[in-house]
């Protein structure tokens, strides 16, 4: 698992960028053939679990995630969310950090993704796919009117 880091800046206030990037059901709308379903009752907190199901029918993969750190942004501090991937096929961890800036906010998405059964020499290809998919998701979430 090679870590992937994606950064975006936006004119959105830090609280709004945080809200959009941690709206788990909205993530599915940004990734083709993906639906995201929250498994625990809200609001989001450490222990919240959700699954992103990507694919069609039997050709789908579940990415089960659990929030292990949840610190919404506050005065003088960024928002920090850490996720552990707990699925049978998709493994790893992810993080979302949102910092206030004079012109809005800066968001950082980190991902260490592993897929059980995929050899390590495929990691560079997987990292490229992660950059494309998660970068597109960030762009859509930060742009959407939700």
């Amino acid at each position: 698992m090679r870590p992937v880091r994606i950064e975006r800046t936006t004119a959105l206030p830090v609280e709004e960028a945080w809200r959009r990037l941690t709206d788990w059901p909205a993530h599915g709308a940004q990734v083709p053939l993906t639906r995201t379903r929250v498994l625990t009752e809200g609001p989001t907190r450490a222990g919240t679990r959700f699954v992103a199901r990507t694919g069609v029918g039997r050709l789908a993969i579940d990415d089960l995630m659990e929030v292990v750190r949840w610190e919404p942004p506050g005065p003088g501090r960024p928002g920090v969310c850490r996720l552990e991937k707990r699925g049978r096929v998709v493994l790893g961890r992810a993080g979302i950090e949102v910092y206030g800036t004079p012109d809005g906010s800066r968001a950082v998405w980190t991902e260490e993704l592993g897929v059980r059964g995929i050899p390590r020499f495929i990691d560079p290809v997987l990292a490229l796919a992660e950059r494309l998919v998660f970068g597109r998701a960030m762009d859509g979430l930060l742009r959407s009117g939700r």
Side-chain angles (χ1 to χ4, degrees):
M1 286 186 273
R2 288 188 178 168
V4 170
R5 179 181 170 103
I6 304 164
E7 293 189 38
R8 297 291 190 266
T9 57
T10 178
L12 294 170
V14 66
E15 295 82 5
E16 180 62 12
W18 171 262
R19 184 191 71 74
R20 291 180 185 201
L21 289 172
T22 60
D23 178 351
W24 311 126
H27 281 239
Q30 302 304 321
V31 180
L33 302 175
T34 300
R35 287 177 298 133
T36 304
R37 185 170 45 98
V38 178
L39 305 173
T40 52
E41 293 195 29
T44 298
R45 64 195 177 288
T48 294
R49 295 176 59 216
F50 58 97
V51 63
R53 183 171 184 80
T54 302
V56 177
R58 289 186 164 173
L59 299 176
I61 295 175
D62 288 338
D63 183 0
L64 177 63
M65 292 167 265
E66 181 176 342
V67 176
V68 295
R69 183 174 173 193
W70 180 258
E71 298 174 14
R77 66 176 167 73
V80 178
C81 176
R82 296 281 183 261
L83 305 165
E84 291 287 333
K85 295 175 175 285
R86 305 214 189 269
R88 291 188 306 222
V89 177
V90 181
L91 308 167
R93 60 191 66 53
I96 298 169
E97 299 175 16
V98 183
Y99 300 86
T101 66
D103 299 323
S105 54
R106 178 174 59 94
V108 179
W109 183 314
T110 55
E111 188 90 21
E112 290 182 57
L113 181 69
V115 179
R116 195 178 310 273
I118 300 293
R120 304 258 319 151
F121 71 85
I122 301 294
D123 280 357
V125 174
L126 192 56
L128 176 61
E130 287 177 79
R131 285 189 191 290
L132 293 172
V133 169
F134 299 126
R136 179 176 184 232
M138 282 183 83
D139 292 341
L141 291 165
L142 294 172
R143 180 179 53 244
S144 74
R146 287 186 64 158

